Amino acid sequence: MEFLVEYGYAGVFIASFLAATVLPFSSEVILTGVLLTGASYWQCIIAATAGNFLGGMTCYWMGRIGKIEWIKKYLRLDISKLQRVQNWIAKRGSWTGFFVFLPGIGDFIAVALGFLKANWKIVALAMFAGKFIRYIVWMEIVYKVQSVI
């Protein structure tokens, strides 16, 4: 993962995109590494949020297409867990896209919203807000810890 840190903002974008789609790793590690090299706070926020948002929307659109084989093959999601998440989302609506940033269940939420043909504009807005806030909180934690050390 060190090579992604060397790519700076592009590395943050790539790591954030992949972390939201197919690879089980934390984009926060790359983001922290780039931040600690002296990178710009807002450019890191933009790169991380944009990458993670586009990755989440990729999951949404794969769900919207509705091909279970693709979901199993490319996203490696448990279909029974996906069904449980769909049932939960069906009662709450498109705004649950806000919670796509949650580790472990976020991909399921994004795909389930797509399967349910949730309003993509509301999903996109809610998802973007959740991911943006996630990275702001993470970066503030990094700065607080760094100032103590």
Side-chain angles (χ1 to χ4, degrees), residues 101-113:
F101 74 89
L102 293 172
I105 193 164
D107 294 341
F108 290 99
I109 294 171
V111 172
L113 284 163

Side-chain angles (χ1 to χ4, degrees), residues 50-111:
N52 212 247
F53 168 73
L54 291 173
M57 288 305 291
T58 300
C59 289
Y60 169 86
W61 287 108
M62 286 191 73
R64 185 120 181 168
I65 291 168
K67 301 231 184 241
I68 295 292
E69 309 82 46
W70 291 5
I71 308 284
K72 287 165 66 173
K73 182 178 179 180
Y74 297 114
L75 298 178
R76 298 186 181 116
L77 298 180
D78 179 341
I79 301 305
S80 63
K81 187 173 182 181
L82 178 61
Q83 184 60 49
R84 287 192 305 272
V85 172
Q86 280 180 317
N87 293 338
W88 182 81
I89 288 171
K91 299 173 189 168
R92 288 158 184 83
S94 300
W95 290 103
T96 56
F98 178 84
F99 299 102
V100 172
F101 74 89
L102 293 172
I105 193 164
D107 294 341
F108 290 99
I109 294 171
V111 172

